[in-house]
Amino acid sequence: DIQMTQSPSSVSASVGDRVTITCRASQGISSWLAWYQQKPGKAPKLLIYAASSLQSGVPSRFSGSGSGTDFTLTISSLQPEDFATYYCQQANSFPWAFGQGTKVEIK
Amino acid sequence: EVQLLESGGGLVQPGGSLRLSCAASGFTFSSYAMSWVRQAPGKGLEWVSAISGSGGSTYYADSVKGRFTISRDNSKNTLYLQMNSLRAEDTAVYYCAKDQGAQWLGYYGMDVWGQGTTVTVSS
C-alpha cells in the first residue's frame, strides 16, 4: 500500500504570506495526486487534481506541482479564507490514501 | 445543482450493523465512480471504499475489507455502504464523494462531496 506523508503538520502564517506544503508518496504515483481544503465542520473541497491542474472556481493563488513521489501545494499570497487544513490524496492505486493533513493557522 | 445527501448514520453497539445511503442529484449518476471517505473525531480523512459507475468494480481500505460492502442502485441514483461488525474505531463522519472524471478512476479527484453523516459505535 502507498503511504502519503505531509509536512509540516501545521504552519503559522500571516495574510499575504507564501505558504508551501509538501506531500511525499512512499512509491511513485506519477501525477495521480489531488489536494483538498477542509474547514472545521465542513466537507473537503477539491483544489488541485492531476498534481498541478487547478480545479474550476479555485483562486489562482493556489498551485500544485510535482510528479513521482514528491509534490507541493503552494498558496502564493495567503488570504483570511485560506486558514484551513489541507490534505493530499493519491489515486494511483488502491487502496487510495490521504496524507495526515497540514493545518494552516493564523500567526 | 449537483448534490449528494447522506443518511443512515446513528448510534450502534459494537458488533452491530448500519447501512448508509447517499442520494445523488444533478448529474448522470451512472457515469461516475463514487467513494466513501470518513473522518474520526479530531482526526484526518480516511478513504474507505470506491465503486465504479456500473457497480462492477469495488475497492476497499484494508481497515474495512470483509466488514463493509459498497453498492449502488443507478436506477435510484443512490450509493450505499453496508457496515457490519462495527467497531469503536469506525466512529466517524462518513462522506460520500463523486469522482470528477468519467474515465481514469481517481485521476481528476473527487469534486462533489456530501455534508456527511455521523456514525457512533459505542455500548
Side-chain angles (χ1 to χ4, degrees), chain B residues 53-112:
Chain B
S54 67
S57 297
T58 58
Y59 311 89
Y60 298 94
D62 292 343
S63 59
V64 306
K65 197 174 297 182
R67 300 188 300 123
F68 290 11
T69 302
I70 191 172
S71 63
R72 63 192 299 162
D73 185 336
N74 287 341
S75 68
K76 295 182 178 179
N77 290 347
T78 303
L79 174 73
Y80 302 100
L81 185 68
Q82 177 66 43
M83 304 186 296
N84 298 332
S85 303
L86 282 162
R87 307 166 180 167
E89 54 265 36
D90 296 318
T91 294
V93 175
Y94 284 74
Y95 297 100
C96 62
K98 167 190 165 290
D99 218 65
Q100 176 160 230
Q103 296 179 336
W104 291 13
L105 182 58
Y107 187 71
Y108 299 97
M110 294 176 277
D111 65 331
V112 181

Side-chain angles (χ1 to χ4, degrees), chain A residues 26-40:
Chain A
S26 61
Q27 62 190 77
I29 59 171
S30 185
S31 297
W32 292 71
L33 185 103
W35 289 96
Y36 298 88
Q37 177 194 66
Q38 187 181 33
K39 296 180 179 179

